[in-house]
Amino acid sequence: MNTDDRPTAAAPPVADPGPTVQLIVQKGPLAGSTIPCRRVITLLGSREGCKVVLQHRRIAPVHTALVNDGSHVVAVDLLTPTGTLLNGLRMQYEPLASGDLLTLDQWEFRVEIQQPERSGDADVHPFDLEPTPNLVALEHMASGRVLQPGRDVCIIGRRNGCDITVADPSVSRAHALLVTYFGYPAIFDLLTTQGTQVNGSVVRFQTLKDNDLITIGESEFRVRLVGSTVTERASKNHKVAQPPAARVSEPRQADLVDIHTVEGSERWSVAESLEKLEKAGGKR
């Protein structure tokens, strides 16, 4: 297990007055070790560039993300085959509390979170953006469809089950996270080979403004700030998370939405064939 800070995972350190997080290794190699998680996003997985590198065949390249939004901390399983356990139960997206136990295969980590003392400067943010923080949506440029995440951490990737699915072989199964940081929207690339671009520049972590253009594989998305309130956070009772990505446009069958995300690819013709077969079947 390697826990060095690595420049390739370039999410910024959490600014004051955000909570401080550390993981205590309870079981597995290096049991008893303390791992400070100082950044907005901490990755656990088998790929070089993760904050916590766990070398085992049952650990995915990017397995679990801890997201510190400046107010709360959530754990996100990145749609892994073997999963992530929170207090012994399989989870996908859950807020964390101090004392929680995260289990990834043979490793068990106790979460310790220290919340800062609130003062008159509690509303100070580590950067300035205009306009004020808004609820973010992504407009798919090729189709015009608008995708509005249903929670504060949204997984974008190729695999079914992502909040926003991009059916493109150049896109990783879990490619990027759309998050909020001190109430502002941001995107984080999950150490992918192809990368994530904002306004034509490859980024690891980038705060977002209205009309920014995100490029993932062959797909382009326009950032739309559509409201003045942040999505309600899942409750801290560790129940099932809120449903992912609500579609603002008219709903379609999930498999066809996924395939249609990238026009001009080989899967586009497959989707058209599927639609024709469905229509033909309906006329019989």
Side-chain angles (χ1 to χ4, degrees), residues 257-276:
V257 170
D258 295 344
I259 294 170
H260 281 180
T261 305
V262 179
E263 299 183 73
S265 68
E266 293 180 1
R267 298 194 180 196
W268 179 254
S269 60
V270 173
E272 289 182 327
S273 300
L274 286 172
E275 288 181 325
K276 289 177 181 178

Side-chain angles (χ1 to χ4, degrees), residues 28-244:
L30 297 184
S33 301
T34 299
I35 305 168
C37 302
R38 303 184 182 94
R39 296 184 179 273
V40 177
I41 299 173
T42 298
L43 293 181
L44 295 81
S46 61
R47 177 171 294 170
E48 291 294 319
C50 291
K51 165 68 177 181
V52 183
V53 180
L54 306 173
Q55 296 292 352
H56 196 280
R57 60 183 178 83
R58 289 193 294 270
I59 299 294
V62 283
H63 198 104
T64 306
L66 306 184
V67 181
N68 186 338
D69 69 3
S71 177
H72 301 82
V73 183
V74 299
V76 184
D77 178 79
L78 298 172
L79 303 175
T80 59
T82 56
T84 302
L85 301 183
L86 176 63
N87 300 325
L89 299 176
R90 188 157 180 164
M91 53 141 284
Q92 182 182 358
Y93 171 102
E94 289 289 345
L96 294 177
S98 197
D100 280 344
L101 294 178
L102 280 174
T103 304
L104 287 75
D105 194 66
Q106 61 183 298
W107 286 274
E108 184 177 87
F109 304 91
R110 187 177 78 250
V111 180
E112 292 189 353
I113 301 174
Q114 183 175 357
Q115 293 288 349
E117 294 184 6
R118 298 297 178 182
S119 66
D121 295 329
D123 293 332
V124 174
H125 294 82
F127 46 80
D128 291 322
L129 285 178
E130 292 295 341
T132 53
N134 282 337
L135 181 63
V136 67
L138 299 183
E139 177 187 359
H140 182 233
M141 298 299 291
S143 66
R145 289 194 298 275
V146 179
L147 308 177
Q148 182 177 326
R151 54 194 180 197
D152 290 345
V153 179
C154 167
I155 304 174
I156 304 173
R158 189 182 75 244
R159 185 167 183 172
N160 288 335
C162 288
D163 300 280
I164 296 176
T165 307
V166 181
D168 179 345
S170 68
V171 173
S172 297
R173 293 188 302 171
H175 194 100
L177 293 179
L178 188 64
V179 302
T180 58
Y181 176 45
F182 282 97
Y184 291 93
I187 195 164
F188 178 75
D189 180 81
L190 291 168
L191 305 177
T192 63
T193 302
Q194 296 297 324
T196 300
Q197 296 183 34
V198 176
N199 299 327
S201 298
V202 176
V203 301
R204 282 300 187 195
F205 180 94
Q206 179 65 52
T207 52
L208 299 171
K209 298 179 182 179
D210 195 38
N211 287 317
D212 278 348
L213 188 65
I214 298 172
T215 303
I216 295 177
E218 298 179 15
S219 290
E220 293 184 333
F221 300 91
R222 182 77 67 187
V223 175
R224 299 297 188 193
L225 299 182
V226 296
S228 59
T229 58
V230 178
T231 311
E232 287 189 8
R233 192 179 310 277
S235 64
K236 291 189 176 181
N237 59 4
H238 296 178
K239 292 182 180 179
V240 177
Q242 296 285 337

